[in-house]
């Protein structure tokens, strides 16, 4: 794949032209793209496919994959993001091209670790399953021929088996990845032939696709050293693999509307589990290390704490421990002002997204930052949820999601259980989104009243911290709306 700042020349083609590189709306992505694309197109394609895979993940857990509701919602997302969803449509060349290129961009971004590869493989498999099952029987046959999976369709009627519509694999030449069909006794063997029901063809095709994509991801990972040497590409791919799609919560209409006296109550009612854990640790231990101060401090900034309130909050907490007022003013106060864009580079730092918390800076002994669903031992997580009065059935559901590595979906389930909801109704991707949605429910959509200009008093405890609150690892972000680009990614493209 080549990159160019020049706009791509539009392709002119005739319907049915054999030179068309995308004869089918579905593919195994075996040939990488070779054309030049602009960096803007690179960004747009990657962000849109990531949004699509996030929807696939959320729908796959909250709905039965074969249900009409699942199909309807997924098709709507295909339409919105302009990916091919109807086979052999005459005017979907651009959609097929976008599908092809975007897959390879995310393959580069998500081959960098075993966890990233596993997530990408699972979502691409679910995406492929939906699209393959939407094909008609005739189109399936054409696609199988296109990817060299040729099976002969036959209709048979045995005296002991009255099922028609099988496909035939002669001489028991079933591929190794069809072994699950044998194990489940879904293959009929007679006279040296294997007969597999047509409804089970997707098992063979999907396993074949899994094998090819898994191998391709491993090979791509081996090529990372050469990719990492490209100064344009590597920062971009790192952003994608730790991405968040949505508002950055840098400009808050609630600024100054949160009272310090209410933080304890808000932490119980409206904080996500990660922030509730940090708040409780701060109160109990009178201390948070650097990672915890960064994660929690930016979250509080995002929910509306002004700079003056933040200084008061942290100072009161710290001087209850071993830090005197003079030491706080000389060390910690500067770091807080820095995070609000008042010192140093004057960068207005944004709160951490769920993906950033999950994927970067894992907590070590004595730390309380990170994602409890990702970084806590299951038994400790269970005890914590029990202490928060989560019912046993809800805890079991959360632990099942954690076991399947659906950490954000586990947080969504926690939201539902703590707010007495059957369906959250949105995809949860940010701690500040959790707070905002919780407040909407609890206040009936009413806006918070502006706090008086004087600083509130709060009942707070504190202790010292040996590390200053720095800002080296927090990405900047441009102004965004609800459909904003990836956190920090747009700024990367607009830099001089």
């Amino acid at each position: 794949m080549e990159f160019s700042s020049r706009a791509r020349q539009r392709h002119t083609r005739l319907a049915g032209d054999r030179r068309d590189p995308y004869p089918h709306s579905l593919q195994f992505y075996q040939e990488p793209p070779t054309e030049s694309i602009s960096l803007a197109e690179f960004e747009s394609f990657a962000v849109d496919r990531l949004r699509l895979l996030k929807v696939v993940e959320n729908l796959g857990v909250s709905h039965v994959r074969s249900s009409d509701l699942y199909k309807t919602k997924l098709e709507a997302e295909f339409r919105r993001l302009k990916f091919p969803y109807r086979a052999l449509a005459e005017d979907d060349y651009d959609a097929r091209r976008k599908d092809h290129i975007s897959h390879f961009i995310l393959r580069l971004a998500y081959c960098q670790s075993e966890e990233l590869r596993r997530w990408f493989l699972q979502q691409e498999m679910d995406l492929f399953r939906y699209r393959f099952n939407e094909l008609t029987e005739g189109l399936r046959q054409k696609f199988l021929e296109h990817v060299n999976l040729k099976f002969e369709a036959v209709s048979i009627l045995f005296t002991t088996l009255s099922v028609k519509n099988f496909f035939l694999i002669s001489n028991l030449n079933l591929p190794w990845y069809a072994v699950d069909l044998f194990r489940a006794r879904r293959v009929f063997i007679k006279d040296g032939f294997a007969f597999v029901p047509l409804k089970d063809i997707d098992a063979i095709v999907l396993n074949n696709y899994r094998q090819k994509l898994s191998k391709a991801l491993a090979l791509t990972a081996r090529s990372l050293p050469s990719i990492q040497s490209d100064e344009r590409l590597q920062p971009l791919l790192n952003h994608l693999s730790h991405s968040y799609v949505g508002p950055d919560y840098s400009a808050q209409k609630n600024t100054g509307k949160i009272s310090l006296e209410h933080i304890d109550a808000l932490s119980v009612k409206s904080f996500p589990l990660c922030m509730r854990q940090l708040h409780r640790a701060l109160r109990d231990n009178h201390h948070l290390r650097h990672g915890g101060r960064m994660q929690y401090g930016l979250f509080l900034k995002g929910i509306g704490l002004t700079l003056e309130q933040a200084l008061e909050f942290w100072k009161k907490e710290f001087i209850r421990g071993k830090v005197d007022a003079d030491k706080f003013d000389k060390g910690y106060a500067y770091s807080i002002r820095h995070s609000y864009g008042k010192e140093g580079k004057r960068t207005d730092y944004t709160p951490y997204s769920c993906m950033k918390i999950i994927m970067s800076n894992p907590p070590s002994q004595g730390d309380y930052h990170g994602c409890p669903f990702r970084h806590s031992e299951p038994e400790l997580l269970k005890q914590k949820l029990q202490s928060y009065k989560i019912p046993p059935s809800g805890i079991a559901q959360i632990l099942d999601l954690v076991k399947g590595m659906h950490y954000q979906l586990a947080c969504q389930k926690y939201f539902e259980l703590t707010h007495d909801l059957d369906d959250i109704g949105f995809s949860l991707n940010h701690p500040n989104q959790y707070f905002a949605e919780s407040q909407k429910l609890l206040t009936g959509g009413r806006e918070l009243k502006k706090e008086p200009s004087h600083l509130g008093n709060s009942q707070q405890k504190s202790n010292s911290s040996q590390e200053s609150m720095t800002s080296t690892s927090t990405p900047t972000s441009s102004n965004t709306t609800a459909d904003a680009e990836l956190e920090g990614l747009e700024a990367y493209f607009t830099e001089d």
Side-chain angles (χ1 to χ4, degrees):
M1 193 188 305
E2 299 177 11
F3 306 96
S4 170
S5 59
R6 298 188 302 273
R8 175 180 61 88
Q9 296 294 324
R10 300 286 298 177
H11 294 280
T12 58
R13 64 184 183 88
L14 297 174
D17 190 344
R18 289 296 182 181
R19 292 171 297 176
D20 186 344
Y22 310 116
H24 296 277
S25 61
L26 193 61
Q27 56 177 306
F28 273 177
Y29 308 103
Q30 293 182 285
E31 295 296 329
T34 56
E35 65 176 284
S36 298
I37 66 170
S38 67
L39 287 174
E41 212 171 27
F42 183 100
E43 173 195 19
S44 175
F45 285 5
V47 168
D48 282 353
R49 191 176 193 93
L50 192 54
R51 286 195 177 111
L52 181 62
L53 294 185
K54 294 285 187 183
V55 170
V56 168
E57 180 185 29
N58 288 329
L59 291 179
V61 174
S62 56
H63 298 85
V64 178
R65 291 190 179 93
S66 59
S67 67
D68 291 337
L69 185 58
Y70 175 88
K71 294 177 181 178
T72 300
K73 288 190 174 184
L74 197 48
E75 181 174 320
E77 200 66 18
F78 270 98
R79 287 175 179 270
R80 187 176 74 84
L81 297 175
K82 295 181 173 59
F83 281 98
Y85 64 94
R86 293 293 188 199
L88 300 183
E90 293 183 1
D91 60 349
D92 72 344
Y93 171 82
D94 288 338
R96 296 183 187 192
R97 174 178 172 270
K98 177 180 181 178
D99 174 53
H100 183 223
I101 294 174
S102 65
H103 170 89
F104 278 91
I105 295 173
L106 290 196
R107 185 187 288 187
L108 285 173
Y110 279 80
C111 72
Q112 301 183 61
S113 72
E114 179 61 31
E115 187 170 13
L116 289 174
R117 289 193 292 270
R118 192 183 301 117
W119 183 87
F120 179 71
L121 182 62
Q122 183 59 56
Q123 309 323 316
E124 286 286 343
M125 287 287 295
D126 288 344
L127 182 63
F128 184 90
R129 180 187 292 108
Y130 163 77
R131 296 170 69 184
F132 182 77
N133 288 333
E134 288 297 293
L135 296 178
T136 64
E137 185 175 330
L139 291 177
R140 284 190 188 188
Q141 196 64 35
K142 289 182 179 179
F143 171 74
L144 293 176
E145 292 175 2
H146 177 66
V147 295
N148 296 317
L149 288 176
K150 298 179 181 178
F151 307 118
E152 179 184 352
V154 296
S155 293
I156 58 176
L157 180 62
F158 297 114
T159 57
T160 58
L161 189 67
S162 59
V163 181
K164 295 185 179 182
N165 297 326
F166 280 68
F167 66 89
L168 171 66
I169 303 178
S170 61
N171 300 321
L172 298 183
N173 189 26
L174 252 71
W176 67 267
Y177 41 78
V179 68
D180 288 342
L181 295 176
F182 277 107
R183 186 181 295 116
R185 298 185 178 183
R186 288 154 64 187
V187 179
F188 182 78
I189 300 171
K190 183 176 177 62
D191 298 333
F193 293 92
F195 297 90
V196 182
L198 279 175
K199 64 182 180 67
D200 290 329
I201 191 175
D202 59 337
I204 289 182
V205 177
L206 283 165
N207 281 323
N208 183 275
Y209 178 54
R210 177 186 289 275
Q211 175 204 15
K212 293 182 185 299
L213 182 54
S214 181
K215 182 178 180 181
L217 284 168
L219 291 174
T220 306
R222 293 182 194 173
S223 304
L224 277 179
S226 60
I227 296 172
Q228 289 168 343
S229 64
D230 191 323
E231 295 181 356
R232 302 170 304 164
L233 209 54
Q234 187 56 33
L236 220 128
L237 296 176
N238 285 339
H239 275 300
L240 283 171
S241 62
H242 297 76
S243 60
Y244 156 66
V245 180
D248 60 10
Y249 297 95
S250 58
Q252 281 294 311
K253 65 179 181 180
N254 285 336
T255 298
K257 297 181 182 179
I258 301 295
S259 170
L260 295 184
E261 289 114 333
H262 297 154
I263 290 183
D264 283 330
L266 289 172
S267 71
V268 175
K269 296 178 180 178
S270 295
F271 280 19
L273 189 59
C274 57
M275 300 305 169
R276 187 175 181 180
Q277 173 176 280
L278 283 165
H279 183 77
R280 190 69 266 155
L282 185 62
R283 294 294 197 222
D284 291 345
N285 303 326
H286 318 299
H287 178 266
L288 282 180
R289 291 183 177 178
H290 168 68
R293 296 197 305 273
M294 285 296 296
Q295 182 175 320
Y296 189 44
L298 290 174
F299 169 78
L300 292 175
K301 173 189 174 184
I303 68 173
L305 251 64
T306 64
L307 173 58
E308 291 75 17
Q309 286 177 311
L311 287 168
E312 178 185 351
F313 174 81
W314 290 103
K315 185 173 184 176
K316 282 190 174 182
E317 197 68 42
F318 280 22
I319 62 176
R320 286 178 179 270
K322 299 179 180 179
V323 177
D324 58 36
D326 185 60
K327 182 177 181 180
F328 179 89
D329 291 338
K330 290 180 178 179
Y332 298 103
Y334 175 89
S335 299
I336 295 171
R337 291 196 300 272
H338 192 287
S339 69
Y340 275 77
K342 303 302 182 183
E343 301 285 356
K345 297 186 297 181
R346 308 284 176 173
T347 299
D348 186 18
Y349 291 103
T350 58
Y352 291 175
S353 67
C354 290
M355 188 60 76
K356 180 176 179 62
I357 292 171
I358 291 170
M359 299 302 298
S360 60
N361 189 24
S364 57
Q365 186 72 26
D367 286 329
Y368 293 92
H369 66 274
C371 172
F373 302 106
R374 168 65 180 87
H375 298 117
S376 295
E377 291 294 327
E379 189 58 36
L380 292 177
L381 177 61
K382 181 179 178 180
Q383 293 174 13
K384 187 180 295 293
L385 294 173
Q386 288 172 338
S387 70
Y388 292 158
K389 310 302 182 184
I390 303 299
S393 60
I395 293 176
Q397 289 178 295
I398 289 175
L399 293 178
D400 283 343
L401 290 169
V402 169
K403 186 177 180 181
M405 295 185 296
H406 302 297
Y407 308 118
Q408 289 169 244
L409 296 176
C411 193
Q412 287 184 197
K413 178 56 66 175
Y414 175 77
F415 186 102
E416 292 170 357
L417 292 167
T418 53
H419 292 79
D420 196 23
L421 296 174
D422 292 329
D423 187 354
I424 195 173
F426 58 88
S427 296
L428 188 58
N429 296 299
H430 202 292
N432 292 81
Q433 178 196 11
Y434 184 110
F435 178 83
E437 294 292 344
S438 173
Q439 284 295 292
K440 283 181 186 178
L441 283 171
L442 297 176
T443 63
R446 298 189 305 274
E447 288 195 6
L448 297 172
K449 293 182 179 180
K450 189 80 172 181
E451 282 295 307
S453 57
H454 62 80
L455 296 178
N457 298 319
S458 58
Q459 300 174 357
Q460 302 175 2
K461 308 172 188 176
S462 180
N463 191 19
S464 67
S465 176
Q466 298 177 355
E467 305 167 62
S468 64
M469 189 175 184
T470 63
S471 56
T472 55
S473 63
T474 311
T476 60
S477 179
S478 58
N479 292 331
T480 55
T481 61
D483 288 324
E485 303 301 341
L486 297 175
E487 183 181 8
L489 197 56
E490 185 174 331
Y492 175 86
F493 284 100
T494 56
E495 286 179 356
D496 294 331

